Amino acid sequence: MIKVLAIDDEPLALQQLVAYIKKIPFFELVAQCQSALEAREVMDREPVDAIFCDINMPDLSGMEFVRQLPVRPIIVFTTAYSEYAIEGYKVDAVDYLLKPFGFADFQRAALKVRKSLTPSPSPKEEAGVEDSIFVKTDYKTVRISLSDIRYVEGMSEYLKLYLDSQPKPVITLLSMKKMEEFLPQNFMRIHRSYIVNLDKVQEVNKNRVILGPAVSQPAGTDDVYLPIGDNYKEQFNDYLSTRFLGK
């Protein structure tokens, strides 16, 4: 969870900011402050990963407050004055929200905050993930396009790879952990026994994801229902929140 501090001297604006923060599943509100001086006291006691801070405040402006911080968290400025935008970026703010802003704008800023706090990519990610893999099956080695994979099912020491291009799964001797480590970011483990290609998800219903029939399946074939395990709900809900439009 990303620990967030909200600062605004206007009570209604602060109330709205706090409401938005609480809607973001990967945010944890540390405190809400009506002045930079109050925020400084909070930061002396509590670790903070990110700050949503109004600029135009009495006693100590948000800009001066940020400049004085010995160690800066991720900063998002909020203000009604557009002329502060350039100044905001001079102190390396990741975003600037012009009041009045809606939840969609706030959500985009929240995603920038999370991206800024994401660890550096691994060498594999830096080099770029290949668009296909080779697996051993039936005494031969076959190439499988990653975009062809609908989902992966774990079966003890074996995996079943369900593809769009053929009705029967490819069975290979491999662990879920190994497969999960290799697959790119559009694949997610949603259950101890399932990894799903997020691009193939058609619907989410309660604790299940629903995939339509594979391209290779005959007309009238039933949809595929995959359970979302309790240990994977938070990660999956975080993914949904980044693409969810509406209240």
Side-chain angles (χ1 to χ4, degrees):
M1 298 288 283
I2 298 172
K3 296 182 180 297
V4 177
L5 181 63
I7 312 170
D8 200 307
D9 65 309
E10 299 174 12
L12 290 178
L14 182 60
Q15 182 181 354
Q16 183 67 79
L17 181 59
V18 167
Y20 285 165
I21 290 172
K22 290 181 176 179
K23 283 185 176 183
I24 302 297
F26 48 84
F27 275 177
E28 176 186 339
L29 181 67
V30 172
Q32 49 183 302
C33 305
Q34 287 190 263
S35 73
L37 298 178
E38 183 185 350
R40 183 185 288 166
E41 292 178 2
V42 170
M43 294 182 68
D44 287 340
R45 304 189 308 265
E46 301 280 346
V48 173
D49 299 314
I51 297 174
F52 284 80
C53 181
D54 186 25
I55 292 179
N56 192 24
M57 295 187 293
D59 298 325
L60 182 64
S61 74
M63 194 72 66
E64 289 303 316
F65 167 65
V66 168
R67 286 196 179 105
Q68 292 176 14
L69 292 174
V71 179
R72 290 179 192 168
I74 302 300
I75 306 295
V76 176
F77 282 120
T78 65
T79 184
Y81 303 96
S82 59
E83 60 266 26
Y84 285 120
I86 295 176
E87 289 297 313
Y89 290 118
K90 285 182 180 178
V91 294
D92 296 327
V94 299
D95 207 354
Y96 171 93
L97 292 170
L98 185 63
K99 297 177 183 178
F101 53 86
F103 182 63
D105 292 325
F106 181 84
Q107 192 174 40
R108 282 191 287 272
L111 292 175
K112 289 182 181 180
V113 170
R114 185 169 69 171
K115 184 177 180 181
S116 297
L117 291 169
T118 301
S120 299
S122 65
K124 178 188 75 174
E125 292 170 326
E126 290 279 13
V129 178
E130 296 293 336
D131 61 0
S132 62
I133 57 175
F134 286 92
V135 298
K136 290 183 178 179
T137 181
D138 294 334
Y139 305 103
K140 59 186 176 183
T141 300
V142 299
R143 180 195 289 269
I144 296 176
S145 170
L146 294 178
S147 62
D148 194 24
I149 301 174
R150 289 161 49 75
Y151 67 98
V152 179
E153 181 181 6
M155 304 171 49
S156 186
E157 298 177 348
Y158 291 84
L159 297 181
K160 284 185 176 181
L161 279 63
Y162 291 83
L163 310 179
D164 256 334
S165 60
Q166 60 186 63
K168 291 185 178 180
V170 173
I171 301 175
T172 185
L173 179 61
L174 195 65
S175 70
M176 285 285 279
K177 186 175 186 300
K178 188 74 172 177
M179 177 62 77
E180 187 179 12
E181 289 174 352
F182 183 84
L183 290 172
Q185 292 183 348
N186 59 311
F187 286 83
M188 182 179 292
R189 191 164 184 176
I190 60 168
H191 187 275
R192 64 187 301 270
S193 299
Y194 295 104
I195 298 172
V196 67
N197 184 341
L198 297 169
D199 296 335
K200 308 290 185 180
V201 175
Q202 299 297 315
E203 185 178 335
V204 180
N205 189 332
K206 297 181 180 178
N207 292 325
R208 300 179 299 179
V209 299
I210 303 174
L211 285 66
V215 174
S216 60
Q217 296 286 348
T221 302
D222 292 337
D223 293 337
V224 175
Y225 293 77
L226 301 178
I228 304 171
D230 290 339
N231 293 335
Y232 304 89
K233 281 182 183 177
E234 182 176 353
Q235 181 186 10
F236 185 73
N237 286 336
D238 284 354
Y239 161 77
L240 285 183
S241 72
T242 65
R243 289 158 177 77
F244 186 78
L245 299 179
K247 298 181 180 179

